[in-house]
Amino acid sequence: MKEGWERTGEPASLNVKQLNKMIQSAFPGKRIRTAERLGVGLSNSNYKIVLEQGNTPYVLRLYRGNSTVAAKEQDIANWVRGTVPVAEFIHLDASCTIYDQSWAVLEWKEGGLLHDVLKNGTNEDIVSAAASVGSTLAQIHRYSFSESGFIEKDLCISQPIPMNGEQFIVILEQMIFQSPCARWLGEELTQKLWSLCQVNASLLSQADEKPVLVHSDFNGLNILIQQDQSGCTVSAVLDWEFAFSWRRHVDIANMLRYEEEGSHFERHFIQAYMEHGGVLQENWKLVSKLEDLVALCDMLSHCTEDMSNRIRDLKQLVANTVQRYG
């Protein structure tokens, strides 16, 4: 699961003076006692901070990209927090006056990464976590939109995009043939991929689905799990920067991207998802894989020569889908 992937940019490094200036904006009169850079996240940077004369930890999140990303995350958190476990935004600064990028202070949520449970947990841990993750995703997908496309501040759809097979082909053709994607895949795999997409694109026009809130990076690196005697439960879904309005299969595919066909995790995840209101048609696996090809090709299209680990992993994932469904 993204093992050894190269970052898209160097993590932000702040000194004590910078950190205190930011914190005093969020907590007037307060200073930082400890600050620990968190080693998760391949795009944005995060610090775990504790203030003087207190023991409550917070997350200081530094955003790459434009200021609308931070505002979008805050709006989504406020929208779903009644039913979905998310970190509350305590302070958001998109002015770029104290720091040259948007930043926020968020509630600290206890728990370890789902990634670690899947890697090191017992079979009982994995089954328990799968059930909690499935039910959590079903809750996320209860939030819907009147049209599909990219979400901006105030949860508006800034750029409506048709959710059908024709648009799927347009997007994939651009990603594959007008970017470095085909170069990283090689000629043979590229042609097999393109053939698979053309043959199955019509499936994406057949389902009459209402677009839902899609996290779009729903995987073990963005889900916190708390473990106790009763089992594993989701304590927070993190990092909503890529969320948009689309077909629910995007999140299903992301979660199962590295899972073996019919694994314990897959079966209990899907069972819980459907028991808590998630709806999937008979061919959901193929539809999910088609949606995931868009994500995989998009990531490949942004890879550079120095991202050999990313390229190798993404190419193998594409090859697996082509071999299974081609």
Side-chain angles (χ1 to χ4, degrees):
M1 186 183 294
K2 300 184 178 181
E3 301 289 349
W5 275 30
E6 300 84 358
R7 284 185 60 99
T8 54
E10 289 300 313
S13 180
L14 301 178
N15 57 41
V16 174
K17 183 177 180 180
Q18 288 174 305
L19 287 168
N20 275 319
K21 189 174 183 180
M22 296 165 79
I23 289 309
Q24 286 171 18
S25 172
F27 301 97
K30 301 290 186 179
R31 294 178 61 85
I32 285 178
R33 175 156 60 89
T34 62
E36 173 190 358
R37 182 188 291 163
L38 299 175
V40 296
L42 294 171
S43 178
N44 300 311
S45 299
N46 300 282
Y47 283 82
K48 178 181 180 181
I49 60 171
V50 178
L51 305 181
E52 290 180 347
Q53 300 176 334
N55 296 311
T56 302
Y58 302 93
V59 173
L60 175 63
R61 182 162 169 80
L62 310 172
Y63 290 87
R64 298 180 70 241
N66 62 51
S67 61
T68 62
V69 173
K72 181 181 83 170
E73 279 203 332
Q74 183 182 46
D75 289 338
I76 291 174
N78 290 337
W79 189 28
V80 306
R81 65 184 180 185
T83 58
V84 179
V86 292
E88 181 181 353
F89 276 69
I90 296 168
H91 182 83
L92 173 62
D93 188 332
S95 67
C96 296
T97 54
I98 296 176
Y99 185 66
D100 61 3
Q101 293 171 318
S102 296
W103 59 276
V105 177
L106 286 82
E107 172 191 15
W108 174 263
K109 302 290 282 189
E110 295 293 342
L113 291 176
L114 172 63
H115 169 271
D116 296 331
V117 176
L118 297 177
K119 188 175 182 179
N120 304 314
T122 65
N123 187 59
E124 290 77 12
D125 292 336
I126 292 171
V127 168
S128 178
S132 184
V133 172
S135 62
T136 298
L137 185 59
Q139 292 300 321
I140 292 172
H141 290 168
R142 288 180 182 273
Y143 295 87
S144 61
F145 295 85
S146 59
E147 55 187 352
S148 51
F150 296 114
I151 303 170
E152 293 290 346
K153 185 180 178 182
D154 298 326
L155 304 177
C156 296
I157 304 300
S158 62
Q159 183 182 345
I161 302 174
M163 201 168 62
N164 55 40
E166 292 79 8
Q167 187 66 34
F168 170 76
I169 288 296
V170 169
I171 292 172
L172 260 296
E173 183 175 22
Q174 183 176 13
M175 286 181 180
I176 295 172
F177 298 110
Q178 298 180 36
S179 80
C181 181
R183 175 188 174 190
W184 305 134
L185 291 175
E187 184 176 353
E188 181 180 0
L189 181 55
T190 296
Q191 292 305 318
K192 289 181 178 179
L193 166 63
W194 184 235
S195 176
L196 172 68
C197 293
Q198 291 180 304
V199 168
N200 293 286
S202 61
L203 291 175
L204 302 177
S205 296
Q206 294 173 10
D208 183 19
E209 291 186 67
K210 188 173 185 178
V212 300
L213 174 63
V214 169
H215 182 280
S216 191
D217 203 15
F218 193 76
N219 58 60
L221 298 175
N222 288 324
I223 298 174
L224 293 182
I225 298 289
Q226 274 193 309
Q227 295 180 262
D228 55 31
Q229 293 181 345
S230 63
C232 297
T233 56
V234 175
S235 60
V237 180
L238 310 173
D239 297 359
W240 294 78
E241 61 187 300
F242 301 117
F244 68 120
S245 169
W246 203 253
R247 189 179 286 106
R248 64 189 67 235
H249 298 77
V250 170
D251 286 337
I252 299 288
N254 203 313
M255 178 52 62
L256 299 179
R257 184 177 288 165
Y258 291 92
E259 283 296 311
E260 294 290 335
E261 182 83 14
S263 70
H264 282 303
F265 181 87
E266 178 190 295
R267 288 189 288 107
H268 288 274
F269 165 69
I270 293 297
Q271 179 181 340
Y273 178 75
M274 298 185 73
E275 286 178 349
H276 289 82
V279 179
L280 293 174
Q281 65 269 47
E282 186 177 352
N283 62 354
W284 66 266
K285 285 189 177 182
L286 176 53
V287 174
S288 297
K289 288 298 183 182
L290 293 174
E291 289 286 7
D292 205 36
L293 286 174
V294 177
L296 298 176
C297 290
D298 181 49
M299 287 185 281
L300 274 170
S301 72
H302 290 90
C303 284
T304 55
E305 294 278 1
D306 57 348
M307 295 181 175
S308 58
N309 292 334
R310 278 188 183 233
I311 293 169
R312 186 184 310 111
D313 193 18
L314 292 167
K315 181 178 179 180
Q316 186 60 56
L317 289 167
V318 172
N320 291 345
T321 296
V322 169
Q323 182 178 5
R324 173 71 175 82
Y325 295 101

